[in-house]
Amino acid sequence: MRSMLAATLMFAAATGASAQMTTPEVPGTKPKPVQTVPIRPPALQTPSATADAMAQAERLSLQSDLAWVGQYNGAITGDVSARMVEAIKEYQKAKGGKPTGVFNPQERAALAETARRKQESVGWKIVMEPTSGARLGIPGKLVPQQATDANGSKWTSPTGTVQVLLSRRKEANPTTAKLAELEKEPSGRKVDYTVVKPDFFVLSGLQGLKKFYVRGTFKGDEVRTMTILYDQATENTVEPVVIAMSSAFNAFPTGPQAAPPPRKTVEYGTGIVVSDDGAIVTDRLVTDSCLAITIAGYGSADRLAEDKEHDLALLHIYGARGLKPLSLTGGAAKTSVDVVGIADPQSQGGAAGVSNLKGALAPVTSSDSALSPPPAVGFSDSPAIDGDGKFAGVALLKPAMVAGPATSVPASQAVMVSAETVRDFLKANAVTANGTSTDAKAAVVRVICVRK
C-alpha cells in the first residue's frame, strides 16, 4: 500500500513538472508550416562502374581468371562489358554466394587461385614461335610434342586428340575477309561462328569429328594463322584454354612479351625452422636455380628435397645451435590467420625485422586456401598462425599470369598450404618435426638465394 502510494505521488510530481515546462499557447496564433524536403539515399555504384574504377591490369587479370574457370568466353582486353559482369555473377552463384557482380576480397582471391591451378594443370606458358617470332599461349601438358619447319610450328598431344598449328605464308594483297573465306575451304570443315574485323578474323566449328578454332591476321603480304583442333570428348578441358590462347595470340609482336617475370639475381624469402638439427621448410621457387643458398645469421644451407605440386622445399643447415623449431601440430584455420615473416630488405631499409599481418582465407582445394591480401615480397613461406596461436600452414606468393595483351603485370597472388601438407612433406623426406615452440617469430629465418 505504502509503495503504491509512493509510485502514485512520483507520477503526479512528474506530470506536474511536465505541465510547468510546457510553453503556454498564445490565443489567436497558429504554428507556421515548415516545408520539408525528402532525403534520398545515394545511388549505389553499379558493378560496371566498380569495374571501371579498377586498374587496367586488374581487369585483364579478372577476365583471364574468369575465362580459365569457364565462366567468361569474351575477348580478354580489360574492357568492361555486360558479359564480364554476368560472368562474375555466374561464378558467385556457382560458389553459393550472392550474385552482386562485384567480388569481395575473399571471392577474388579464391577465383585467382582456382584459375592458377587450372593453368598449372594444363602446363600453360607463353612461348615465341621460332620461325616467325609470333607469341602464343601453349598448354604444354596437353600438347607436349612440337615440330617446326619453315612454314611454322605444330604442337600435338601424344595421341593427336589436341593439335595447335601456327602457320605462315605469303599472300598477294590480303584482306581479312579474303583470308576468312580461304579458311572455310578445307574438306569436312563446317563453320558455325565467324568474326571478320579489319585487323583479324576468327572461325570456329567442326572439322570431321574434331572441333576447330582459327584466328588469323596479316602484315603486308605475310599471313599468320593459329589453328586449334581438338576431339569433342576433350571439350570441357580445352575450351577455356582456347579462349586464353585466342587472347594471348600476337602474330606480330612489337613490345615486351607477357611471360612469368624472371627470378631475381638475389632473392629473399622466409624459412621455418622445423627441427633442432637444422631442417628448414621454405618456398621452392625462391630457392630454385640458386648458385648459393644462405640462412641469415647461420650460413650456407643445402636444398635436400622439393614438392613441385605445393611449391615447398626442404633446406638443411649444419652445426647450428640455439635453434627454436616451431611446433607444427594442432592448427586448424577457418577464415583468417596471422602471417609471420621477414619482408624483403628493400622494403625495410635494409633491416631484417620480423613482422606479421592478418590475412583472410578462402578454401580452394582440400590442401590449399587463397590468402588475401597477399603478403609483402620476402614473406613467401611464412608460417600462418590460427586464432589459437597454432601453426595452420605456410603462406606462399604466386606470380600472376594473364592470358591477354602484354601490359603491366598484375600483383602476385597468395595461397596458404595447409599444415597437414607441410607435415606430410616432411614425413616423406624422413624429417622429424620435433619443435615445441609456439613462438613463430623466433622460428623464422631469412632465406637468401643468389643466382647468376
Side-chain angles (χ1 to χ4, degrees), residues 140-366:
K141 292 181 181 178
L142 297 183
V143 287
Q145 299 175 356
Q146 180 181 353
T148 300
D149 60 25
N151 298 316
S153 296
K154 182 177 182 179
W155 295 261
T156 62
S157 61
T159 59
T161 54
V162 184
Q163 303 172 32
V164 179
L165 299 89
L166 187 284
S167 61
R168 54 189 301 227
R169 68 178 190 273
K170 299 294 184 179
E171 191 84 33
N173 302 316
T175 66
T176 50
K178 184 193 298 185
L179 297 175
E181 288 302 315
L182 290 173
E183 289 295 333
K184 295 177 182 179
E185 293 179 0
S187 177
R189 183 172 282 186
K190 297 180 180 178
V191 177
D192 58 22
Y193 177 79
T194 304
V195 171
V196 178
K197 300 288 186 179
D199 54 345
F200 74 94
F201 69 92
V202 169
L203 302 175
S204 66
L206 284 174
Q207 184 170 326
L209 297 177
K210 291 183 181 292
K211 286 199 161 188
F212 79 91
Y213 180 95
V214 178
R215 183 181 180 110
T217 187
F218 67 95
K219 187 175 183 179
D221 62 354
E222 172 95 353
V223 177
R224 296 180 182 176
T225 304
M226 178 182 69
T227 303
I228 307 167
L229 294 164
Y230 55 100
D231 285 5
Q232 296 180 60
T234 66
E235 181 176 344
N236 289 338
T237 299
V238 177
E239 286 207 344
V241 185
V242 170
I243 296 169
M245 292 177 70
S246 177
S247 291
F249 179 48
N250 188 341
F252 299 95
T254 56
Q257 303 301 295
R263 309 303 300 193
K264 296 179 180 179
T265 303
V266 179
E267 187 165 5
Y268 297 87
T270 297
I272 308 169
V273 178
V274 295
S275 73
D276 55 13
D277 65 350
I280 296 171
V281 172
T282 191
D283 185 331
R284 181 183 72 87
L285 298 178
V286 168
T287 56
D288 210 17
S289 303
C290 303
L291 290 177
I293 299 174
T294 301
I295 304 302
Y298 294 98
S300 298
D302 291 338
R303 193 167 97 152
L304 304 182
E306 64 178 20
D307 177 350
K308 290 186 176 181
E309 180 181 357
H310 299 102
D311 285 334
L312 301 175
L314 174 63
L315 306 181
H316 201 280
I317 52 177
Y318 299 92
R321 296 182 179 182
L323 297 174
K324 297 181 179 180
L326 184 67
S327 171
L328 304 185
T329 60
K334 294 183 179 180
T335 58
S336 64
V337 289
D338 285 317
V339 181
V340 181
I342 306 173
D344 187 287
Q346 289 187 353
S347 66
Q348 49 175 323
V354 179
S355 56
N356 67 289
L357 57 86
K358 291 191 177 293
L361 298 176
V364 176
T365 69
S366 59

